Amino acid sequence: MQNKDIKRLTLILLFAPFALWILLLIILPHIGMVVLSLKEKVAPRVYEYSFANYLDFLHEPIYWNTLLRTGSMSLLVTALALLIGFPIAYYIAKIAGPRARGGLFLLCLIPLWVSDLIRSFGWILLLRETGVISNFLLWTGLIGQPVEFLYNDAAVIVGLVYTVILFMIVPLVSTLDGMDNSMIEAGYNLGGNGFTVLRRIIIPYAMPGIVAGCIVTFMLSAGSYLTPILLGGKNSSWFTEQIYNQFITRFNWEGGAAFGMLLLLFTSIVIWLGLKLSGQTLANTVAKS
Amino acid sequence: ETLRLLTWGSYAPDELVQKFEEEYPDIEVEVTFSNNEEMIAKLRATGGAGFDLAQPSHDRIYAAQLEYDIYKPMDLSKIDTGVMEGKLLDGVKANTTIDGEVYAVPHQWGTSGLMADKTKAPDLKSWADLCDPAYKGKTSMRLKRTILLGTAYSMGEDPFAAYSDLEKYQGILDKVADKLIECKGNIKAYWQGGDDLSAMMLSGEIVGSETWDSTAYKLFDQNPNIVFVPPKEGALAWIDTFALPAKGKADDAAYKWINFVLRPENVTLMSASTGAIAAVKGGKDLLPEDKKAAVNAAFTDADIDNLKFFANIPPGVEDMEGKTLEKIKAATGG
Amino acid sequence: MLAQKKTSPFLLGYRLYVVAFFIFLAAPLISAGAFAFNDSLFPALPWQGFTLDWFFSDTEPKLGMFHDRRLLQGLYYSFVIAIFVAALSVFVGTTNAFLFVRGEFPGKNFFYIMMVVPLVIPGVILGISILVLASDTANYLEDTIDLELEFLRPGILLVVLGQFSFIATITSLVITARLKKFDETMEEAAFNLGASRARVLRTITLPFLRPAMIAAGIVAFLVSFENFNTTLFLVGSEAPLTITMYDRMAKVGSTPVLNAVSFVLMVGSGLLALLSILIQRDKSAQ
Amino acid sequence: MKQDNPTYDLECLDIAKNFGSVRAVKGVSFDIPSGSFFSILGPSGCGKTTLMRMIAGFEEPSGGDIKIKGKSVLGVPPNRRNVKMVFQHLALFPMMNVYENIAYGLRCAGFGKDHIRRKVHDVLERIALPDVAEREIHQLSGGQKQRIAIARCMVLDPDVLLLDEPLGALDLKLREAMKIELKLLQHQFNTTFIYITHDQSEALVMSDNVAIMNQGEFEQIGTPQELYHRPNTAFVAGFVGDSNRWSGTVKASDGTGGKVETEQGLPMSFSAGAGQTIRDGAKVDIFVRPEFIRTVRTAEAAAIAADGDNRMDGVIDSLLFNGANSRVLVRTGSGELIESDVTLTGDNDLKPGEDVSLVWSSKQAMCFARQESA
Amino acid sequence: MKQDNPTYDLECLDIAKNFGSVRAVKGVSFDIPSGSFFSILGPSGCGKTTLMRMIAGFEEPSGGDIKIKGKSVLGVPPNRRNVKMVFQHLALFPMMNVYENIAYGLRCAGFGKDHIRRKVHDVLERIALPDVAEREIHQLSGGQKQRIAIARCMVLDPDVLLLDEPLGALDLKLREAMKIELKLLQHQFNTTFIYITHDQSEALVMSDNVAIMNQGEFEQIGTPQELYHRPNTAFVAGFVGDSNRWSGTVKASDGTGGKVETEQGLPMSFSAGAGQTIRDGAKVDIFVRPEFIRTVRTAEAAAIAADGDNRMDGVIDSLLFNGANSRVLVRTGSGELIESDVTLTGDNDLKPGEDVSLVWSSKQAMCFARQESA
Ligand SMILES: Nc1ncnc2c1ncn2[C@@H]1O[C@H](COP(=O)(O)OP(=O)(O)OP(=O)(O)O)[C@@H](O)[C@H]1O
Ligand SMILES: Nc1ncnc2c1ncn2[C@@H]1O[C@H](COP(=O)(O)OP(=O)(O)OP(=O)(O)O)[C@@H](O)[C@H]1O
Ligand SMILES: [Mg+2]
Ligand SMILES: [Mg+2]
């Protein structure tokens, strides 16, 4: 119906912003990171190409322990976010009336209203030994003396779950929304009880949403910086903190770049495994939500 | 013309900036808050561009300049060096001269030491006392190089002397690390910034901590029981300087700012904000009254003589220290 | 359905759980907001009495936020950055939507996945990698042809680009989803009624996308406003609000003025979010 | 209440449902003999789906009782009732293939693997789709999906199968074909089917018995022929099949038939609708179906006049040619349009503009006393 | 080529379209006189939409020429052709209200505000919806939307209006009503309508002329009656209307009629399909429409035997009651099922199991020489 050339030109014009964005802001910077991470400082202002930075990582248990810790805590956060968020998403999508739905959804966006920093700030005010919760419990007489809730891994997990749960709920709500109620009714009608329907029908149906939520949640918590630092205790090192230290405190950009690539690689592998295990693809999960 | 200042949190109080802008109506001051590490990292990233005046500590200039070439030499003739405390000026010059060029002049100096609630921890006197089981769960420190150095002194070592022999320094660091890991159980939490520290101290969650003196003075205002304690090994003293980033574009404005803040009437304003002592002659007397009281409550003359000025950090030390700190953080103690 | 009888104890428990959840969501915000009214120099218990000083006082030490030059400046920069990021992301999101919904070209699926990838790269890494590339480029240009490109140094432009690099993914997904629902015969109908190509785009396609574009813009604005991880490395002297506040907290020590700012932000974002919901509802009505 | 009565698979006793102030179902009673095909036909929103959902257990009745095989099922949760349901959009599980869809109910019941396999393949044979077990749902055609949805229920040997407008989403040709097929499947399984629809042709073609529902109540239950030829109410007469409709006043009546004059002034003879007594002077509605009106050229009309006692002359206004279902619109002297079915053979057919006479028997003119709502 | 010829609004000359190797339209020629209602009827996928999109300018023909009002429009972009189109899902603009929807085309044409207002209100009057101008699209009923979609095109005074299955998305009752209405609208605007459908009843009821399309080609163009009663090909006979169909071999023929024996061994007399000559021994397909077969109880058959020259005895297998469209399936001696339309009056009707005779005239038995594809 139209000229082939115009079509081509349109395509090229549309492709240009995309290509510029992906190439200049994603691909090239990451190639730069890879190149940087392969440099080793041998003397002031003298660098050589080598794998030294990566070997450094392998030889130092602190680093890979921290990476594993970051990974496993992020997985825990993801799992908790799913457990806590799924019933909420289900409630919003299937049980709340159509009018309540919009309101509840709005409420879910609350954490997005202020920055990470203020959220952590709020948690600190709540959790510290002389904070609101401790004082409240003292007042009710449940505890005899102030209790410190801050500065431990549990606080970090609470803070992270809080930060990321929104990104779990949104894709879940949108997949569950698309699920025909009669599908659930059919599940009961054919003899399934509540548990069977949940396990065999609702969860398999919501799988793309679940996986999408898990991926985003996992990446966000593995990549978060402020929450673990501000809420974490004496032992709670986070891998992003180490990257920051490499870059800022130790002026070791090469090492920091290597760590950055390692974090990316590690999280990518975890996600790849997750996708393989759940039989989903990136395109039909994250891309759909 | 814009003067882009890269400086510490309280080193550019609004009042002073406004006064400066009134005096030089064609100059606009833009301030970026930072700290030693970030200043260097930023200037490194920009190759010394993006800012017109930076204020790193005197010990963090030499190596950074050698390695990344981020500052330009200063023209001392444009600075009113006469008002400066000679001892401090000479010390900074000595530390920051490369190939005969001077790269920094002093601005303010202060110390890092201990802070204690007199009523609850009267005996907190030494860096090592933070690890005293008597205060179990009631002390804090910042996991940065200060505590490494302090602990080294408390163990009878002289870390600055060992800077020339990095192997030896590594040995000291290892010992310090062991000690601090052991100490972990005693610590309530590592503070990250002035905020956590003040909150923990004021609320009584902790009774003693490693601290910047200015933070201690501020708390003294709120609660006179909280005082700065120079450790008996000697408080660690730093001098914050003025340095010109290599690709700064408003050198004249920068010089104007330097001379401006060194004027006695401005020094008091500045010190009121920073809590540090200006590196001008009679700097201590120019402190505002409340600060002066806090300083006098904290320091005797002997303490001042006992100050340990941070020594120039040779290349590589930051990396060693960083690794040690990571080791301590990652160790599972307490 | 999971909840059969409208009065069962199960459903009651379920409702309680939902309520508890929303309390959990609101708790830190409420506490952060509440301390803005505490008449004390430190944002902590004990409660010293109610005050509005942290908003309106113009004297130290209780300098209220509306007189705190630095905070207002941070707010201003945050605003400027968020506007640019939102505008840019919506624009690129729209072109991407057309590209992937309408375009046919080899490797389309691969590129589509590439489009999603930025969302799953940790923000810190995005920030650093962009900083490194920009600095290297600037340094290289300067060393070889003595060309000083100021905008490649940390500053507003890099912050905007850094945030844009992953926010564009969000807007692309939102707008793509909407465009997929667009019935292309609507465009043909407009042609058929005599409209030119540009007119069809202006009067039919873009109006159809408008709700999604606005919603995406609001989300982009909010995400940009609150972003910390990516911004941290790219910020120059024009620090946006989150960075200013971080500096306050970590380096100076905070006062309830930060809580006051948080409170204002909460109210502002709340209104914005409400607006986006209303637009969404408007869309669903069609 | 009644004792266990094996001849009824399903009994509903005065069943009712209110949603707040909306009275969706107003007290409906019926029983369905074993193995029959029972349809509920009614306009949109009359409460059909609500009734069915109460039988399946998804809604709790506000009053009345439901018995399946003679046992009350009030309070029994939906997954414990042996009543299966085919949903309007089928609700096949898209994440399972055909085999798993059919096996789902058997698995819930806890059968062993071998037993399940045997049963699934068995039912696939019976619906004549033996080879689709491994297909995904989206690989099936509309008609195939339909049959799988039925098989998924039938494999559980339900006492009653409920179908809620299962053909509504199909296109015209497929719908025609599935009508016949559904009836055959019901024969094959010999299970009681309850079929909901608002399409009268579906209900008439397939059912043993049809209930006409209107505003939450049953207007009439009967065989398709009964409903069509002997409707009890004006609503049924108007809803089932096409009709020409007049309003008029009775001029002479012997109770079951007589003379009426329409509002347009046309005299007409009629017989009263089933079970009604119509008195002189009553306001009535008269219904005459187009296929019972014979249209003949006026010139030839005399020959057949004896046939019917109603006769009207007019001019053919237009001819709606539709093959076997062609129809003429005849404009009578009073300006009214009357529809009449004609068979056109392509040879000496009626044409617009011709003078014709319309003739029909008084037995085919059904008459109902006027109600307010009519 | 022909000169400007004002009597044809649209001429297509050997128009063809290939999508890669798919030959969607294979060279179709036709011309449509001004002001007529022309339908294209064909099974799904036969190329109807493709043909229409070429006329509207959305696809470029691979060969042939299209002339509107005598002028070739090849190369003219769609927004410059005075051919308007009503889309299957109407494609009304949801972000505009009714007024703006209708005004859209006028605005594109650059008319002034007052002129536009006048025209829009004018066309709304003509489609009998004068009060909906300010409504939003989603506030309209299905039938109203339909009319707005037509008004939106008609306000531009197109030479030809194209309609691509515009009733496909409506429900049954509304579709019936809209059929009549569309025809009336066409009369009112007196514009050439080209109507695409795969539903024969739509095409038959509304059209002046119908083209039957199959696999990219036109099989026959004619009035509805011609197509129904005198189909040219077996495909047309089978596609338009229902038919009983037999295959057989000609035993005796005089070229236009004769005797045939079906594969089941039944003797039958026939007349050849329009324009065909059928020789002895030819393999043929015979079509007889259900409404032309009379079903009578065997006992009463003798009386009407003279009527038709074909007669067959059998037993009623089942009776598909569907009101006026009821049908019996009769199983003949050879086991075959024959469909026949019956009118059931509710009184002394035929019942399954009765012995009946089927009678039809040889004139109604259409016969076509067998083709490979049939
Ligand atoms: N959950 C509900 N809450 C309130 N009213 C309801 C509910 N479900 C149905 N209704 C009302 O009850 C009446 C009957 O609805 P129902 O769905 O049974 O009709 P239906 O006969 O199935 O119609 P259709 O043929 O359109 O499916 C309607 O007026 C409907 O609005
Ligand atoms: N853009 C295209 N590319 C390739 N093949 C096409 C394209 N459009 C149509 N076809 C093919 O051309 C043939 C005719 O399609 P068309 O849409 O014209 O059929 P139709 O008669 O309108 O069918 P329906 O009644 O289902 O709408 C089909 O086989 C179709 O698959
Ligand atoms: Mg219903
Ligand atoms: Mg089509």
Side-chain angles (χ1 to χ4, degrees), chain A:
Chain A
M1 99 192 199
Q2 79 251 74
N3 212 306
K4 283 254 160 57
D5 290 339
I6 292 184
K7 231 172 180 171
R8 277 184 78 93
L9 186 68
T10 317
L11 194 65
I12 290 170
L13 281 180
L14 287 175
F15 197 75
F18 171 78
L20 284 177
W21 163 41
I22 291 294
L23 192 69
L24 291 184
L25 294 177
I26 307 296
I27 295 180
L28 278 184
H30 283 84
I31 291 176
M33 287 277 276
V34 173
V35 171
L36 186 64
S37 73
L38 290 174
K39 283 181 178 170
E40 184 194 4
K41 177 157 77 169
V42 289
R45 304 194 199 182
V46 182
Y47 298 90
E48 268 177 10
Y49 284 100
S50 82
F51 285 101
N53 296 308
Y54 292 95
L55 293 177
D56 241 19
F57 171 84
L58 287 179
H59 292 149
E60 184 53 73
I62 292 176
Y63 297 147
W64 42 265
N65 276 337
T66 308
L67 184 57
L68 288 180
R69 209 181 102 88
T70 305
S72 52
M73 293 228 334
S74 297
L75 281 180
L76 183 62
V77 167
T78 306
L80 280 176
L82 180 61
L83 279 181
I84 296 173
F86 192 89
I88 302 296
Y90 189 85
Y91 189 89
I92 293 176
K94 292 285 163 211
I95 297 182
R99 214 171 304 154
R101 188 171 304 172
L104 290 179
F105 207 73
L106 178 69
L107 285 179
C108 275
L109 296 176
I110 284 181
L112 205 63
W113 292 3
V114 292
S115 68
D116 219 359
L117 186 75
I118 299 172
R119 292 194 289 254
S120 305
F121 193 37
W123 280 115
I124 290 173
L125 292 173
L126 285 175
L127 293 178
R128 65 179 323 125
E129 192 177 340
T130 50
V132 176
I133 292 181
S134 178
N135 269 309
F136 175 75
L137 291 178
L138 265 181
W139 176 74
T140 59
L142 282 176
I143 52 173
Q145 61 191 56
V147 176
E148 177 68 275
F149 295 103
L150 196 61
Y151 304 127
N152 54 43
D153 286 354
V156 174
I157 286 179
V158 169
L160 283 177
V161 167
Y162 179 83
T163 310
V164 299
I165 196 154
L166 165 71
F167 297 90
M168 181 64 88
I169 290 179
V170 170
L172 280 180
V173 169
S174 69
T175 27
L176 286 175
D177 238 359
M179 177 174 188
D180 191 352
N181 276 349
S182 63
M183 206 97 79
I184 301 169
E185 291 181 348
Y188 280 107
N189 184 258
L190 294 170
N193 55 28
F195 177 73
T196 342
V197 171
L198 182 67
R199 188 176 65 95
R200 308 257 341 232
I201 295 171
I202 299 175
I203 290 182
Y205 187 92
M207 210 54 184
I210 292 175
V211 172
C214 286
I215 289 176
V216 174
T217 302
F218 177 78
M219 295 311 283
L220 284 177
S221 63
S224 66
Y225 173 72
L226 270 184
T227 312
I229 300 242
L230 293 178
L231 303 183
K234 294 174 285 190
N235 302 328
S236 67
S237 28
W238 208 255
F239 203 68
T240 44
E241 187 187 354
Q242 300 218 330
I243 296 175
Y244 183 86
N245 285 341
Q246 291 281 355
F247 268 91
I248 301 296
T249 315
R250 294 168 59 181
F251 309 125
N252 185 359
W253 286 25
E254 298 72 32
F259 278 26
M261 293 322 294
L262 283 166
L263 178 59
L264 192 57
L265 192 70
F266 175 75
T267 47
S268 305
I269 288 174
V270 170
I271 282 171
W272 181 78
L273 279 178
L275 287 172
K276 277 278 144 322
L277 288 180
S278 63
Q280 307 285 328
T281 64
L282 205 55
N284 77 357
T285 55
V286 178
K288 282 258 173 68
S289 62

Side-chain angles (χ1 to χ4, degrees), chain C residues 3 50 90 99-100 115 132 162 244 246 248 263 278 285:
Chain C
F50 180 86
V90 168
L99 180 66
F100 286 104
M115 184 186 89
V132 169
T244 310
Y246 179 71
R248 283 288 169 96
F263 182 81
L278 289 180

Side-chain angles (χ1 to χ4, degrees), chain C residues 107-213:
Chain C
K108 185 167 149 180
N109 277 335
F110 170 78
F111 285 117
Y112 193 70
I113 289 177
M114 281 306 300
M115 184 186 89
V116 178
V117 161
L119 199 59
V120 299
I121 298 176
V124 176
I125 294 180
L126 269 182
I128 293 175
S129 59
I130 292 174
L131 177 69
V132 169
L133 180 73
S135 303
D136 283 356
T137 313
N139 291 343
Y140 176 80
L141 289 179
E142 197 177 354
D143 292 347
T144 51
I145 56 173
D146 200 30
L147 179 67
E148 169 66 4
L149 293 178
E150 192 66 30
F151 62 84
L152 288 175
R153 305 301 186 185
I156 285 207
L157 184 80
L158 280 196
V159 173
V160 168
L161 287 180
Q163 294 185 350
F164 160 77
S165 69
F166 72 95
I167 293 177
T169 299
I170 301 177
T171 55
S172 297
L173 289 178
V174 171
I175 299 172
T176 301
R178 175 85 176 159
L179 187 60
K180 271 185 189 155
K181 290 195 197 128
F182 182 72
D183 181 2
E184 272 189 67
T185 56
M186 213 111 80
E187 283 185 354
E188 289 185 348
F191 275 126
N192 185 252
L193 293 172
S196 63
R197 190 165 292 278
R199 191 177 186 114
V200 171
L201 191 67
R202 185 165 56 79
T203 57
I204 307 292
T205 320
L206 289 183
F208 179 84
L209 288 181
R210 192 184 298 132
M213 289 166 73

Side-chain angles (χ1 to χ4, degrees), chain D residues 48-49 88 164-165 196:
Chain D
K48 306 181 297 293
T49 300
Q88 172 153 17
D164 189 356
E165 307 196 27
I196 280 190

Side-chain angles (χ1 to χ4, degrees), chain E residues 52-336:
Chain E
M52 184 164 279
R53 289 172 60 82
M54 285 192 286
I55 298 171
F58 295 123
E59 305 277 2
E60 218 150 348
S62 312
D65 195 6
I66 299 173
K67 292 185 181 182
I68 294 173
K69 293 266 185 208
K71 287 221 185 67
S72 172
V73 292
L74 285 192
V76 178
N79 51 343
R80 309 281 297 282
R81 298 191 186 187
N82 200 13
V83 169
K84 301 303 160 208
M85 184 157 174
V86 175
F87 291 80
Q88 172 153 18
H89 296 284
L90 307 182
L92 292 172
F93 306 134
M95 50 280 182
M96 305 180 190
N97 66 19
V98 169
Y99 182 91
E100 286 163 341
N101 261 281
I102 298 179
Y104 188 86
L106 294 169
R107 290 203 180 127
C108 291
F111 285 108
K113 272 210 163 160
D114 288 341
H115 180 84
I116 292 178
R117 182 166 25 249
R118 221 165 338 104
K119 279 222 142 197
V120 172
H121 285 290
D122 201 52
V123 80
L124 281 174
E125 291 282 345
R126 288 171 79 180
I127 59 165
L129 288 174
D131 303 321
V132 300
E134 296 310 314
R135 295 249 194 106
E136 295 298 323
I137 296 301
H138 63 89
Q139 295 172 324
L140 299 177
S141 73
Q144 289 174 326
K145 280 185 196 163
Q146 199 80 52
R147 281 183 278 172
I148 298 299
I150 292 170
R152 185 173 72 171
C153 295
M154 295 316 295
V155 78
L156 299 172
D157 295 321
D159 295 330
V160 176
L161 183 70
L162 307 173
L163 302 101
D164 188 356
E165 309 196 28
L167 305 184
L170 303 184
D171 77 18
L172 209 73
K173 290 236 157 178
L174 191 54
R175 193 153 53 206
E176 291 299 323
M178 284 307 297
K179 272 185 213 172
I180 316 284
E181 183 142 358
L182 268 178
K183 180 72 185 165
L184 292 178
L185 281 173
Q186 192 258 338
H187 265 302
Q188 237 223 315
F189 288 109
N190 197 26
T191 300
T192 305
F193 276 33
I194 302 184
Y195 188 91
I196 279 190
T197 182
H198 58 239
D199 176 349
Q200 45 146 321
S201 125
E202 287 174 16
L204 295 180
V205 170
M206 294 189 280
S207 318
D208 297 321
N209 283 289
V210 179
I212 306 293
M213 192 168 187
N214 187 29
Q215 299 187 347
E217 288 173 313
F218 278 4
E219 295 254 344
Q220 185 172 357
I221 304 180
T223 64
Q225 274 98 332
E226 275 168 12
L227 295 173
Y228 193 81
H229 296 302
R230 286 185 297 285
N232 276 349
T233 63
F235 175 81
V236 175
F239 190 74
V240 180
D242 287 342
S243 285
N244 291 290
R245 176 178 188 155
W246 292 273
S247 300
T249 315
V250 176
K251 292 290 165 200
S253 167
D254 61 0
T256 60
K259 293 269 171 203
V260 72
E261 189 177 286
T262 69
E263 282 168 7
Q264 294 82 13
L266 300 171
M268 212 174 276
S269 46
F270 72 94
S271 43
Q276 290 205 321
T277 321
I278 293 186
R279 277 155 301 122
D280 271 16
K283 295 262 178 219
V284 291
D285 289 312
I286 309 126
F287 295 82
V288 183
R289 303 203 181 277
E291 76 264 29
F292 297 141
I293 302 183
R294 291 182 60 190
T295 311
V296 286
R297 293 200 178 82
T298 310
E300 306 157 13
I304 55 152
D307 236 28
D309 18 331
N310 284 304
R311 173 172 166 170
M312 215 173 266
D313 292 335
V315 181
I316 296 184
D317 184 79
S318 53
L319 193 151
L320 300 175
F321 181 76
N322 189 11
N325 306 317
S326 300
R327 186 164 282 185
V328 285
L329 302 185
V330 177
R331 195 169 295 280
T332 62
S334 56
E336 207 186 351

Side-chain angles (χ1 to χ4, degrees), chain C residues 30-99:
Chain C
I30 291 174
S31 76
F35 280 98
F37 303 98
N38 191 6
D39 193 4
S40 147
L41 280 179
F42 293 87
L45 284 178
W47 186 257
Q48 307 272 24
F50 180 86
T51 179
L52 287 178
D53 284 357
W54 294 114
F55 293 91
F56 303 112
S57 160
D58 57 358
T59 46
E60 294 275 9
K62 286 193 196 165
L63 189 63
M65 66 164 287
F66 293 117
H67 297 279
D68 190 321
R69 215 165 69 114
R70 188 125 304 144
L71 283 178
L72 292 180
Q73 216 162 48
L75 200 60
Y76 168 74
Y77 286 131
S78 280
F79 211 81
V80 169
I81 290 169
I83 292 277
F84 275 107
V85 169
L88 199 59
S89 310
V90 168
F91 173 73
V92 173
T94 310
T95 59
N96 282 348
F98 278 101
L99 180 66

Side-chain angles (χ1 to χ4, degrees), chain C residues 237-257:
Chain C
S237 54
E238 301 95 347
L241 191 65
T242 27
I243 301 291
T244 310
M245 290 177 70
Y246 179 71
D247 288 338
R248 283 288 169 96
M249 279 179 74
K251 293 163 197 166
V252 185
S254 55
T255 61
V257 76

